[in-house]
Amino acid sequence: MTRRWTCAAPLSLGLVWAVVACRQADRLPPNDREVVARRTDTTALAPGALTMLPAAPVTGWKGPGERPFEVTLRTADPVSALARRFGTITLRTSLRARTPDLGQYPCTSCHLGRRMVLADERVADAHQNIKPIHPAQTGAACSTCHAPDNVEYLALKSGERATLDHAYRLCAQCHFSQADAWAGGGHGKRLDGWQGRRVVMGCGDCHDPHKPTLEPRIPFRAPQLQRQRGDAP
Amino acid sequence: MRADRAPAMPNADDERTVLQKRVDRRRALGILLGGVAVGAQAMTACSPVAPMTDEARETRLLAWREYIKGNYRSMTETERGETIARLERLAKVTRGADVKIQSTSAQPGVMFGYAFNISKCKGFRNCVEACINENNLDRRAGTQYIRIFEMEDGVVDLDEADATFQHEVPAEGHFYMGTQCFQCADPPCVKVCPVGATWQEPDGITVIDYDWCIGCRYCMAACPYWARRFNWSAPDVPVAEINPNQHYLGNRARKMGVVEKCTFCIHRTRQGRLPACAEACPTGARVFGNLLDPSSEIRWVLANKKVFRLKEDLKTEPRFWYFTD
Amino acid sequence: MHLKPFVLSALRSATTGGRRYHVWMGSLTLIMLAGAYAYSLQLRYGLGVTGMSDHVSWGLYISNFTFLVGMAAAAMMLVLPAYILHDVDFGRAVLMAEAVAVAAIVMCLGFVVVDIGNPLGSWHLIPGVGYLNWPRSLLAWDVVVLNGYLVINLAIPFYILYGRFRGRPPEKRRYLIWMYIAVMWAVSIHLVTAFLLAGLPARPFWNTALLGPRFLASAFTAGPAFVILLLWFIKQTTKYEIADGAFAKLALITTVTAQINLIMLGSELFYKFYSPTHHGINARYLFFGLDGHHALVPWIWTAIAVNAIATVVLMIHPLRHDPRWLMPACAALFIGIWVEKGMGLVIPGFIPSPLGEIVEYTPTVVELGVTAGVWALGLFVLTVLVRVALPIELGEVRSPYIEKATPSAPIVRPRSTPPLRQPTPPVRTR
C-alpha cells in the first residue's frame, strides 16, 4: 500500500507538471531566435526606477567613433525638467525606454491570450487615436509590424521579434540610412549633455510610428530688422 | 594819486566791445561769486541731493572697483573670485536677483564643434526662444543671437533668404538654415579689437570681457557672419526671467554700450551639458560635441555626411558645419 | 620766460576781434553747447538715440571721421613743397594748413569719442595701464598714429611760432627732420584708416586694394580745396600776404588729385559692374538700389556729378585762376567728396549685411546735433589757431622780453589798452 503511494505521487506530480508546462508553453514566444532580452520583471519599468537591462550588441551597426552600438534601457525619470531626461554615466549608448509612455501598455490588458483580436471582436474605442497614415503610405497592415500572435512584440522581416522598447530594429528595416545616422549621431537627439554617457531617444519618442511626420506649426516670433528703440527721446 | 591805476572809463567813442571792458578785481570777484551762487542754486533746484544710503554707498564702491579692474585674462584667480563676488552682489543689490557666476575654465582636450542639419530644420525657432531665455538677452531690444533663414529649394543664397518669416512652417518648397556665432578657428573679430576685449579660449569659444569692451564696434564690422550684437540701450531682462546660472564670459548681465554674442552656452557646455539651442531643437537638427573626441557625434557627422560651411573662401575656419540627411 | 607772455598774448589774440568775429565764435559756442546736450542724451540713453543698428553699426560719426582723417593728412600736402622744396610761395600758407590739420585731428578724435559705447573705458587703450592690441588691430594703429600726428602738428608750429614770438627765428636744421617725418606720417594716418576698412574680408565693398589709394586721392583733393578756401578768406579779411602763386599751385594740386579720384572711381565702377558678383552687391545698393531700398542713390549720383563738374571747371586754365570760379569749385569738391567718402563709403559697406539682410540707415536729430557740435568744435579750434598764428606771423605780436629789435620784428610792447584812441583822462578839479 505504501509502495503504491510512493510510486503514484511522483507520477501524478509529473503529470501535473506536464500539464502546467504545456500551458506555460503558450506564454512563451514561439520563436527561439529572439535576440532581445526579455523583461522578467514588469514592475522594474515603473517611472522613477533605474534599471539596467542587459542586451547584446546590435550587429552590423556602428555607434559614433566606430564603437559597437550596444543598447541598454533606462526608464524615464520624472524628476527631471523634461519628462524625457535621465542619465548618467558609463560607456554604452542608452536608449530611452518607450513602453512607459504607451498609455495602453501592456497589450495583454485587452488582448486575451496575447493574440490580436480579429475585426468582428474589436472593442469599439480601442486604438481609435491611431491614424494609420504610415501604414497607408507603405501599404502595410497591422500585422506587417505587430506580431499577430503576440501583440507585445514587433515582427521583423527576418522572422525575429523585437519588443516595443527596441522598435528601432523594425524602423531600421526600411529606414536603414536614418538608422545608421541615428546610431552614429547625425539623426535624433541626445538626451544628456555632450560629455559622458550617451543617452538617446528611440524612434518612437519623436516619430509617431503611425504618423511619423512632424506637424507644421507657427514658429516663435520673427526678429525685428529695424532696431527697436528703447526709451530714448 | 592813483590816477594811473584807475580803471579807464567807458567812452562813447570807445570801440571796445562789451567783452573788452575792464573791471577791477573786487568787482570781478563779486561777479564770479554771484555767478557761482546762481549756478549752484539752479543745479540744486534741478537735482535733488539726498544723503546717501548705505546701500547706495556700497553700490558706488562696488561700481568703482569694477570700473578700475583690468582685463579678465590678466587677473589672478583671487582677482577673478573678487570680481565675481562683486558682480553677484551688484546683481543682488540693484535688481534683487540671486545669481551664480562661474569662472570655469576650458576643459583640457576639448574643442567644441557644431553641426546643423538643413534637411531637418523646419524653421520652428525653438532654438531662438531657448537662447533668449538661457542667455538673458535684452527683451526690450529683442536681441537674438540665432537667425533662422528661410530659403527656396534649389539655391543656398543668403541674399535671397528671408529671416522674418512668420507663417506656418515648414513652408512648401523651402528649407531652413540657422546662423549664430560660428566660433571660427581664425576669428577676424579677435584680430581687430583695439583693447583685446575679445579672444578665443582654448576650447574654441570666442568670448568677450564685457567690462573691458569700449564699444567701438570694430568687431561687428569685421564679422563675416553677422554674429555680434551691440547694446544700443541698457539691456532689460525681467527679474523673474533671469537665468541665475551664469558665466563671467557668457550670459551674465551685460551693460549698455558693449558688444555681446553667442558663446555656445559656455556656462552649460563647460559643465558637460548641451547648449540651449541644441537641447531645445525638436527635430534633432543640431549636433554638438567635442571635435577632439573621435567617438563624438560631431566627428561622426563630419566623417559620414557631406558637410559645408558658410563663406569658406574667407578662410575663417568656422567650427559650424551644415549637412543634409 | 617767454612762455607766459606767449600764452597770454595768444589768449588775447583769440578773444579779441570785431563784431563778426564774436558772432562767429558765439554761434560756434552755441552749436557746441547744443552738441554737448545731445551727447549727454547719448550718454544717458545709450547709442540707441542714434540711427545706428546691429546691421549698420557705424554711421555718421565714422563717416565724418574717415573724411576728416583725410583732411588732416592733406594739410601736409603743403608742408612738403614749402619746407622741403623751399617753395617760397607756400611758405606763408603752411602754418594755416597745419592749423587745419590740428583742427581736423581734434575733430577726428572727437568723432571717435562720441562713437564708442563706453567712453569712460577709454583708458583701456593706454598701453601699460590698459592693453593696446598693437600691432594686430588696425584701430590700435589708428590710435597711435592719430595722436602722434596731433603731437607733431602741435609741436612744429609751436616751435616756429614761439621762436618768432621771442625774436629768435626758428632754425631749419632743428625741425626739418620732423617735417620729413610729418609728411610720411600724414600719408600713413590716412593709409592706416583705409587699411582698417580694407582689411575686413567680411565687407567686400571695402575689401579692395584700391581703397587706400582712393582715400589718399580724395583726401588730397578735399584738403587743399579747403585750404584754398581758408587762405582766400584770410587774404580777404586780414593783412596776411599770400602769393597768387600759392593759390595757383594749390589749385593745380587739387585739379590733378580730383582727376585721379575720378579715375579711381571709374575703376571701381568697372570692377563692380562689368561682371557683377556677390561681392558687388553693396555697390549695387549704393548706385542703383536693391530690393526697393534706394535711399543713398540720389546722394551718390549728385556727389559724383558735383565732383565731375568741379573737376572739369578746374581743368580749364583761365577758370582755375579766377577766384570767382575757383572758390565755388573748391567748395563743391569739398562737399562732393564729403558725401562720396562719408555716406558713399562707410554706410554702403553695411548694406546689405553679411547675411544678406537690408536695413537702411537714417541719422537721428540727436546724432546730427552731436555731429554739428563736433564740427563746431573743430572750426572753433581752427579759428583760435589761425587767430593766434596770424599776429605772430605778421610781426604784430612779440615778446616783451626781447632784448634787441630786429628789422623784421620791431619791438612792440604788449598792449594793455586797445590800439585805437586813448581814452581822455578825467578832468581833475583840484
Side-chain angles (χ1 to χ4, degrees), chain A residues 75-112:
Chain A
T75 56
D77 174 6
V79 175
S80 306
L82 300 177
R84 302 174 167 201
R85 182 127 321 229
F86 59 101
T88 44
I89 17 165
T90 57
L91 316 155
R92 307 185 184 96
T93 303
S94 285
L95 191 62
R96 184 186 174 285
R98 178 76 182 135
T99 44
D101 281 348
L102 300 172
Q104 293 168 317
Y105 191 84
C107 314
T108 48
S109 55
C110 292
H111 291 272
L112 303 170

Side-chain angles (χ1 to χ4, degrees), chain B residues 106-107 110-113 181-187 190 199-207 261-264 266 270 291-292 317-319:
Chain B
Q107 289 181 27
V110 171
M111 178 72 72
F112 292 120
C181 175
F182 295 156
Q183 321 291 352
C184 304
D186 185 13
V190 167
W199 66 92
Q200 189 158 90
E201 289 271 299
D203 56 357
I205 305 180
T206 306
V207 296
K261 68 176 196 57
C262 161
T263 55
F264 277 1
I266 193 172
R270 283 191 174 171
L291 288 167
L292 299 179
E317 307 294 335
R319 290 200 193 90

Side-chain angles (χ1 to χ4, degrees), chain A residues 68-146:
Chain A
F69 185 61
E70 300 171 4
V71 179
T72 56
L73 297 175
R74 283 185 178 265
T75 56
D77 174 6
V79 175
S80 306
L82 300 177
R84 302 174 167 201
R85 182 127 321 229
F86 59 101
T88 44
I89 17 165
T90 57
L91 316 155
R92 307 185 184 96
T93 303
S94 285
L95 191 62
R96 184 186 174 285
R98 178 76 182 135
T99 44
D101 281 348
L102 300 172
Q104 293 168 317
Y105 191 84
C107 314
T108 48
S109 55
C110 292
H111 291 272
L112 303 170
R114 304 159 327 265
R115 301 207 178 258
M116 199 175 295
V117 178
L118 295 176
D120 53 350
E121 296 178 27
R122 188 167 49 203
V123 177
D125 60 351
H127 301 310
Q128 288 303 306
N129 57 328
I130 294 176
K131 292 174 183 33
I133 293 176
H134 197 35
Q137 285 172 336
T138 54
C142 305
S143 57
T144 311
C145 298
H146 296 277

Side-chain angles (χ1 to χ4, degrees), chain C residues 15-66:
Chain C
T15 52
T16 312
R19 182 178 304 146
R20 278 192 312 171
Y21 176 73
H22 285 299
V23 165
W24 168 248
M25 295 301 259
S27 327
L28 288 181
T29 309
L30 274 175
I31 297 174
M32 280 198 280
L33 286 174
Y37 172 68
Y39 186 56
S40 76
L41 291 175
Q42 195 179 286
L43 284 177
R44 181 157 171 204
Y45 293 108
L47 279 159
V49 300
T50 68
M52 295 185 272
S53 58
D54 284 332
H55 290 86
V56 186
S57 49
W58 278 344
L60 200 57
Y61 298 151
I62 299 293
S63 305
N64 278 294
F65 165 79
T66 312

Side-chain angles (χ1 to χ4, degrees), chain B residues 178-218:
Chain B
T179 64
Q180 60 204 70
C181 175
F182 295 156
Q183 321 291 352
C184 304
D186 185 13
C189 55
V190 167
K191 207 161 41 173
V192 299
C193 177
V195 285
T198 183
W199 66 92
Q200 189 158 90
E201 289 271 299
D203 56 357
I205 305 180
T206 306
V207 296
I208 303 169
D209 182 355
Y210 307 114
D211 298 315
W212 196 250
C213 173
I214 59 172
C216 70
R217 308 188 297 290
Y218 195 13

Side-chain angles (χ1 to χ4, degrees), chain B residues 23-253:
Chain B
V23 296
D24 69 356
R25 283 198 203 98
R26 243 179 283 130
R27 201 155 159 246
L29 195 58
I31 292 172
L32 275 172
L33 282 175
V36 165
V38 168
Q41 186 67 27
M43 278 179 61
T44 49
C46 292
S47 59
V49 176
M52 216 186 299
T53 61
D54 281 334
E55 199 175 83
R57 206 179 309 243
E58 187 195 4
T59 310
R60 272 274 190 98
L61 185 62
L62 289 174
W64 170 252
R65 292 243 167 87
E66 282 294 293
Y67 176 65
I68 58 173
K69 74 181 181 190
N71 187 314
Y72 185 76
R73 277 187 284 182
S74 63
M75 287 185 194
T76 60
E77 278 305 313
T78 325
E79 286 169 337
R80 287 182 186 182
E82 284 170 5
T83 181
I84 282 175
R86 285 196 294 265
L87 287 167
E88 287 174 351
R89 179 81 193 132
L90 275 170
K92 180 75 186 152
V93 166
T94 54
R95 301 219 65 202
D98 289 299
V99 302
K100 190 83 195 66
I101 302 179
Q102 302 169 33
S103 60
T104 323
S105 32
Q107 289 181 27
V110 171
M111 178 72 72
F112 292 120
Y114 211 120
F116 189 102
N117 189 335
I118 59 177
S119 299
K120 290 222 168 41
C121 179
K122 301 281 176 261
F124 294 150
R125 292 203 194 107
N126 283 40
C127 47
V128 176
E129 186 178 14
C131 173
I132 290 173
N133 291 325
E134 188 71 31
N135 287 298
N136 300 316
L137 296 185
D138 185 358
R139 304 301 196 262
R140 187 167 49 203
T143 311
Q144 294 177 359
Y145 290 161
I146 300 174
R147 262 298 196 266
I148 303 293
F149 287 94
E150 180 182 76
M151 271 182 271
E152 276 185 27
D153 286 338
V155 139
V156 179
D157 184 5
L158 281 168
D159 290 331
E160 306 294 326
D162 174 29
T164 57
F165 61 91
Q166 193 60 37
H167 50 72
E168 194 178 71
V169 286
E172 188 73 38
H174 291 78
F175 69 98
Y176 299 88
M177 192 159 143
T179 64
Q180 60 204 70
C181 175
F182 295 156
Q183 321 291 352
C184 304
D186 185 13
C189 55
V190 167
K191 207 161 41 173
V192 299
C193 177
V195 285
T198 183
W199 66 92
Q200 189 158 90
E201 289 271 299
D203 56 357
I205 305 180
T206 306
V207 296
I208 303 169
D209 182 355
Y210 307 114
D211 298 315
W212 196 250
C213 173
I214 59 172
C216 70
R217 308 188 297 290
Y218 195 13
C219 57
M220 290 175 74
C223 177
Y225 306 109
W226 194 70
R228 288 175 167 253
R229 308 283 180 267
F230 186 72
N231 285 293
W232 299 98
S233 53
D236 177 42
V237 182
V239 177
E241 296 176 32
I242 292 179
N243 176 10
N245 175 19
Q246 301 175 356
H247 195 288
Y248 183 91
L249 297 169
N251 63 338
R252 66 175 169 106

Side-chain angles (χ1 to χ4, degrees), chain B residues 1 3-4 8-9 11 13-17 19-20 22 67-71 73 143 147 149 157-159 161 163-164 179 186 188 190-197 210-218 220-226 228-234 255-258 310-311 313-314, chain C residues 15-19 22 42-50 52-58 115-125 129-134 136-140 195-197 200-203 206 278-279 281 291 350 352-357 416 418 420-421 423-424 428 430:
Chain B
M1 288 293 295
D4 56 326
M9 301 303 291
N11 191 305
D13 298 330
D14 204 317
E15 291 199 19
R16 282 174 299 177
T17 64
L19 294 169
Q20 289 165 311
R22 300 188 68 78
Y67 176 65
I68 58 173
K69 74 181 181 190
N71 187 314
R73 277 187 284 182
T143 311
R147 262 298 196 266
F149 287 94
D157 184 5
L158 281 168
D159 290 331
T164 57
T179 64
D186 185 13
V190 167
K191 207 161 41 173
V192 299
C193 177
V195 285
Y210 307 114
D211 298 315
W212 196 250
C213 173
I214 59 172
C216 70
R217 308 188 297 290
Y218 195 13
M220 290 175 74
C223 177
Y225 306 109
W226 194 70
R228 288 175 167 253
R229 308 283 180 267
F230 186 72
N231 285 293
W232 299 98
S233 53
K255 59 186 193 229
M256 176 173 88
V258 298
L310 286 187
K311 306 202 186 192
D313 50 318
L314 296 185
Chain C
T15 52
T16 312
R19 182 178 304 146
H22 285 299
Q42 195 179 286
L43 284 177
R44 181 157 171 204
Y45 293 108
L47 279 159
V49 300
T50 68
M52 295 185 272
S53 58
D54 284 332
H55 290 86
V56 186
S57 49
W58 278 344
D115 184 62
I116 63 178
N118 188 15
L120 286 179
S122 301
W123 64 268
H124 296 168
L125 283 164
V129 181
Y131 175 75
L132 189 69
N133 188 12
W134 187 90
R136 293 194 82 199
S137 167
L138 265 299
L139 210 52
F195 287 170
L196 84 84
L197 294 178
L200 303 179
R203 308 283 169 185
W206 302 333
H278 166 77
H279 288 239
I281 198 165
D291 286 346
F350 293 101
S353 79
L355 297 182
E357 294 178 314
S416 58
L420 297 164
R421 286 172 42 184
T424 54
R428 292 208 208 135
R430 219 206 311 228

Side-chain angles (χ1 to χ4, degrees), chain C residues 189-269:
Chain C
I189 62 168
H190 213 24
L191 275 184
V192 164
T193 308
F195 287 170
L196 84 84
L197 294 178
L200 303 179
R203 308 283 169 185
F205 190 65
W206 302 333
N207 188 220
T208 129
L210 194 62
L211 198 74
R214 260 189 95 187
F215 267 34
L216 287 172
S218 56
F220 291 161
T221 311
F226 183 78
V227 172
I228 288 173
L229 289 167
L230 177 69
L231 290 176
W232 184 73
F233 179 76
I234 289 174
K235 183 169 180 170
Q236 303 297 108
T237 54
T238 71
K239 294 182 275 217
Y240 202 59
E241 276 299 317
I242 300 168
D244 281 339
F247 284 103
K249 284 177 188 156
L250 274 173
L252 186 62
I253 291 171
T254 309
T255 312
V256 171
T257 50
Q259 290 167 328
I260 296 174
N261 193 34
L262 283 178
I263 291 171
M264 288 184 177
L265 171 70
S267 176
E268 281 274 353
L269 286 172

